Each structure stands twice: as C-alpha cells, then as structure tokens.
Amino acid sequence: MDKDLKKALIGKRIAQELKDGDFVNLGIGLPTEVANHIPPGINVFFQSENGIMGVGPAPNEGEEDKDLINAGGGYITAMKGASYFDTCLSFAIIRGGHIDMTVLGALQVDQEGNLANWMIPGKLVPGMGGAMDLVTGSRKVVIAMEHCDKNGNPKILKKCTLPLTAKNKVNLIVTDKAVIEVTAQGLLLREISHGMTVDDVLKVTEADLIIPDHVGVFGL
C-alpha cells in the first residue's frame, strides 16, 4: 500500500471517532487527512493552534489562499462561520479543556499510553509545538501514524525509548494495520485493517496486546 492510501485509510478510520458538535485539533501532516473524511451528517469544528476554529478540507491545487494556513504552514480552507483569534486565546482554549479530541502523529507510543513525538536525540527537529498542551488539555488523544518506521521497526513499544511528550495520555492508536485502544488493563486490539490477520499485527508490534474474542476490520 502506498503512502497516500495509508493516509486515507488512517484518516477515514479516525474520522469515524468524530461526534457531532466536537471541537477537534488536528496535528500537522498525517492527522490533517481526517478533515477529508468527515461522515455525512456530522458537523465538527477543527481548530489549528495558530488561531482558527473552523478549518475545512485541504484546498484543491491552484486554489490555495496564502493567508489561510495551519500551524504547520500547510494550506487550509475555512468553513462558513469560522472564527480567527490570537495565539493566547487559542492556547487558552486548549489548556482550558475545551477541545474534545486531538489527533497527533507519533514517533513512538507504548503500552502505558506514553507518547514520544517531538525529537530524536542528535537530529535537528522543529520542536514539539503545541503537542504537550494538546495531549494534556484535550479530552481524547488519538494517535495517527504508520505502524512501523521507515526501517520496518515497530513504533508501538513496551516502553518508549525516545524523550516523552506526555505520560499516560493516549486513548487510541490508529495505524495502517490496526486500531488499538489504551485501557487500564493494557493495549486492546479493536480492529485490524482489511487483508491483515491478528498474527500479522502481532509480528510488527513490540507491545503486549490484549486480543478480544472479536476483532473488527476496517478499510477504505
């Protein structure tokens, strides 16, 4: 499966977690795909921490507005009724607990719900941005990422080895291979992607997984 299909698969599955009236923050990169798959009949308000509530789908090529960008500098559209504000108010919304769900990418997640997504020691990276505030202030934290890194190594681990962004804050992990819920008992395998088997997922997951009697299937 190429990267575009993986993005669509992950984004579409996470969009199923949205509820009508939710206020949602999407991280840069892969998480922005969620905005392209909102289920019919659902009205959701997407926030970008650079100061907008009401982000719409990505613009078509050639229709970009240089004054409409998200926190990562990517072009966005604005929905009817969107509002704009400064960074202070934007982070007050986040830190005040007014965001229902945040979707973030990750370098590693572990079976305790810990998240590492902001640096690899020795490598130049742009920093964590608002991630630390978002995982602490949002009611639900969903991780959107490929199941393995570019070298094929598992990213869902028993224990994160990279510097943490936050401890025990992740609620749900959605990858190109599985949907995994973080529970008090450990990581629960809720769904596998179409064409995969439970054994396929276990082979590329270092963390221990709880396997229920019924495991669902998701796909495009």
Side-chain angles (χ1 to χ4, degrees):
M1 184 182 296
D2 66 29
K3 291 188 78 70
D4 287 342
L5 283 176
K6 287 181 182 178
K7 283 178 59 178
L9 175 68
I10 295 168
K12 182 178 180 181
R13 178 58 189 82
I14 291 174
Q16 295 173 19
E17 299 292 316
L18 299 172
K19 296 181 176 62
D20 192 39
D22 273 354
F23 293 90
V24 179
N25 184 290
L26 301 178
I28 63 175
L30 200 163
T32 61
E33 181 72 16
V34 175
N36 298 327
H37 301 277
I38 302 172
I42 296 290
N43 290 311
V44 178
F45 302 90
F46 289 114
Q47 184 220 21
S48 183
E49 60 265 35
N50 59 326
I52 178 173
M53 184 71 78
V55 176
N60 295 322
E61 188 172 349
E63 298 178 0
E64 299 91 346
D65 182 338
K66 65 179 182 181
D67 291 325
L68 281 178
I69 59 171
N70 60 25
Y75 289 114
I76 59 174
T77 59
M79 302 294 287
K80 184 178 181 180
S83 60
Y84 304 92
F85 33 80
D86 63 18
T87 304
C88 290
L89 179 57
S90 190
F91 275 85
I93 291 170
I94 295 168
R95 293 170 181 169
H98 305 291
I99 297 297
D100 295 297
M101 185 168 92
T102 187
V103 183
L104 295 166
L107 297 168
Q108 298 176 340
V109 184
D110 69 27
Q111 60 193 33
E112 297 176 4
N114 298 324
L115 167 65
N117 79 341
W118 71 284
M119 75 169 297
I120 299 174
K123 291 191 175 182
L124 182 64
V125 293
M128 68 171 66
M132 187 168 55
D133 298 277
L134 285 162
V135 293
T136 301
S138 301
R139 296 189 180 97
K140 181 175 182 178
V141 176
V142 179
I143 298 303
M145 67 176 189
E146 292 191 28
H147 206 94
C148 299
D149 67 19
K150 62 183 180 182
N151 297 314
N153 300 310
K155 295 173 68 175
I156 303 174
L157 307 174
K158 293 180 183 294
K159 196 77 173 177
C160 289
T161 59
L162 295 173
L164 295 183
T165 307
K167 295 184 69 175
N168 312 118
K169 292 295 183 181
V170 175
N171 301 111
L172 190 71
I173 307 164
V174 180
T175 76
D176 52 309
K177 302 184 188 305
V179 177
I180 298 170
E181 182 180 357
V182 182
T183 74
Q185 291 73 41
L187 299 183
L188 174 66
L189 181 62
R190 281 175 45 180
E191 300 173 25
I192 56 177
S193 67
H194 181 72
M196 298 288 294
T197 67
V198 171
D199 283 342
D200 290 336
V201 173
L202 290 173
K203 287 176 184 175
V204 291
T205 307
E206 184 197 278
D208 297 324
L209 296 181
I210 301 168
I211 312 299
D213 292 337
H214 173 73
V215 177
V217 177
F218 71 105
L220 288 171

